[in-house]
Amino acid sequence: MTRRLDATESGIATAASILRAGGLVAFGTETVYGLGADASQPEAVARIFEAKNRPRFNPLISHFAHAQAAFAQVVPNPLALRLAQTFWPGPLTLILPRAPGCIISDLAADGLSSLAVRVPANEVARALLELVDRPIAAPSANRSGRISPVDAAHVLEELDGRIDAVLDSGPCTVGLESTVVDLTDPQNPCLLRPGGVTLEELQAICPQISLPQTTHDVAPHSPGRMISHYAPHLPVRLDALHVQADEALLAFGAPRATQAPLVWNLSTSGNLEEAAARLFTGLRTLDQEGQALGLSRIAVQPIPQYGLGRAIQDRLNRAAAPRPQNGTQGSIP
Ligand code: TXA
Ligand code: MG
């Protein structure tokens, strides 16, 4: 059985003691719910992969209460310090070389010499991290390849009975995973995954940042960027200007007269922050209710390609990518 813990002092204390004992606790961050384990205990990290059914070759992000704790595990450079100062706590993950004496297990880092670190903004998450006082490895708390959870009920839909507890801090405010920036070569910072911090915001600090390459180029470097990901059961059709009678509609912007039997509007006012926060719940809802209604696809209206629109489109592209036949995620070339 998976315990549901309230975000009270005693709930947070229980969550912290489960994590210190090597157990698995899902917890809310501002981006999505993470499935946490003590990153310094390889057996605990192994349980994450088991619970998620995740291929072993994905390195995980380690979470910390403060930048100082993060920079004890990796070697920062001046750009990393500036980005951390500007965006932490918040939805930004930095990839940096491991520090000498780093306690994060090789399994959490998938044996790489670099590490992904982040300080989340959610106050409950930070209180938990503070109390545990260890790096907490946490991928999104969904089964591998599926839609990331943005509230505690989604976590239980995915992982009930497979993890020790979920710490319920309510719905996630950002709703999209963190932006991942590779800073291992400080002369050549590189955006690996668009996310809650936008490209425009990064460019204000770091104009030389290189843009996401194609998923094919990035995949070997950042294995979590698998092509088919965030996959609902129903197929997804992108950039739909018209919707068909057998399609559920993921809409964006002013509602139009539509034949669609099922509609989820990401933001009727065209606000990209609202759209990001409503994306994963929308996909999950259209998928479940669409299947119940016997619909055959989810059609998605075009999303503007600036600000958070890029990260939203990235997730939609992967939700729409061809599914592998063998039940695993998209292949890494
Ligand atoms: O918002 C988030 O980032 C959420 C919350 C829970 O913090 N976590 C999350 O974790 O999305 P996950 O495991 O689903 O995604 C981690 C991403 C993957 O794309 C992975 O490949 C990349 O970070 N990554 C981790 N370590 C890396 C490394 N050393 N080098 C390159 N990419 C790395
Ligand atoms: Mg994920």
Side-chain angles (χ1 to χ4, degrees):
M1 268 302 289
T2 296
R3 298 172 66 180
R4 189 175 187 140
L5 302 171
D6 290 329
T8 56
E9 214 170 296
S10 85
I12 294 169
T14 305
S17 61
I18 296 171
L19 286 171
R20 289 185 72 99
L24 296 184
V25 177
F27 62 98
T29 76
E30 77 282 22
T31 60
V32 300
Y33 272 72
L35 177 54
D38 179 349
S40 66
Q41 300 184 43
E43 309 76 25
V45 174
R47 285 188 197 110
I48 292 180
F49 295 113
E50 222 163 62
K52 279 184 65 99
N53 242 338
R54 190 174 195 175
R56 295 248 158 176
F57 40 70
N58 288 24
L60 305 176
I61 299 171
S62 287
H63 297 68
F64 302 86
H66 309 283
Q68 204 187 358
F71 291 142
Q73 303 300 325
V74 290
V75 182
N77 50 52
L79 180 56
L81 294 173
R82 280 197 70 197
L83 289 173
Q85 202 169 33
T86 310
F87 297 110
W88 281 354
L92 179 69
T93 294
L94 302 178
I95 312 285
L96 288 162
R98 281 177 92 98
C102 171
I103 63 167
I104 291 166
S105 65
D106 279 333
L107 188 58
D110 192 33
L112 297 173
S113 57
S114 59
L115 273 180
V117 295
R118 144 166 146 81
V119 176
N122 179 292
E123 286 308 318
V124 177
R126 291 185 75 200
L128 174 67
L129 293 166
E130 179 97 61
L131 204 56
V132 179
D133 197 25
R134 307 249 177 97
I136 296 298
S140 50
N142 49 279
R143 300 251 191 146
S144 195
R146 308 226 61 92
I147 301 166
S148 301
V150 292
D151 71 28
H154 296 167
V155 173
L156 291 172
E157 275 171 32
E158 298 276 332
L159 297 172
D160 196 9
R162 299 173 73 92
I163 63 176
D164 297 296
V166 56
L167 178 59
D168 186 352
S169 54
C172 302
T173 51
V174 174
L176 285 178
E177 292 86 346
S178 60
T179 301
V180 180
V181 177
D182 185 348
L183 294 177
T184 48
D185 174 1
Q187 303 314 316
N188 184 23
C190 178
L191 176 64
L192 295 184
R193 179 176 75 180
V197 170
T198 65
L199 180 61
E200 290 85 344
E201 289 169 323
L202 286 172
Q203 281 171 332
I205 308 274
C206 173
Q208 75 277 31
I209 191 162
S210 60
L211 296 186
Q213 302 137 44
T214 68
T215 306
H216 277 265
D217 289 341
V218 174
H221 200 60
S222 189
R225 292 187 47 93
M226 287 198 245
I227 298 157
S228 165
H229 206 76
Y230 307 96
H233 294 92
L234 291 177
V236 173
R237 183 168 74 86
L238 299 177
D239 296 321
L241 298 175
H242 304 282
V243 62
Q244 276 134 39
D246 63 342
E247 291 181 328
L249 178 65
L250 189 67
F252 179 85
R256 302 184 234 166
T258 168
Q259 304 286 60
L262 184 64
V263 179
W264 179 280
N265 200 315
L266 291 171
S267 170
T268 51
S269 65
N271 177 317
L272 287 166
E273 281 174 26
E274 183 188 20
R278 287 172 54 76
L279 175 67
F280 290 145
T281 305
L283 279 173
R284 204 173 271 276
T285 304
L286 292 181
D287 194 33
Q288 284 168 357
E289 295 181 11
Q291 286 180 89
L293 290 170
L295 301 182
S296 42
R297 248 177 329 279
I298 298 172
V300 183
Q301 283 183 343
I303 308 292
Q305 289 309 291
Y306 56 81
L308 286 174
R310 285 200 193 83
I312 295 171
Q313 190 66 47
D314 171 76
R315 307 306 188 271
L316 288 169
N317 290 345
R318 287 192 265 162
R323 318 284 165 79
Q325 299 306 309
N326 59 4
T328 60
Q329 286 179 294
S331 61
I332 294 179

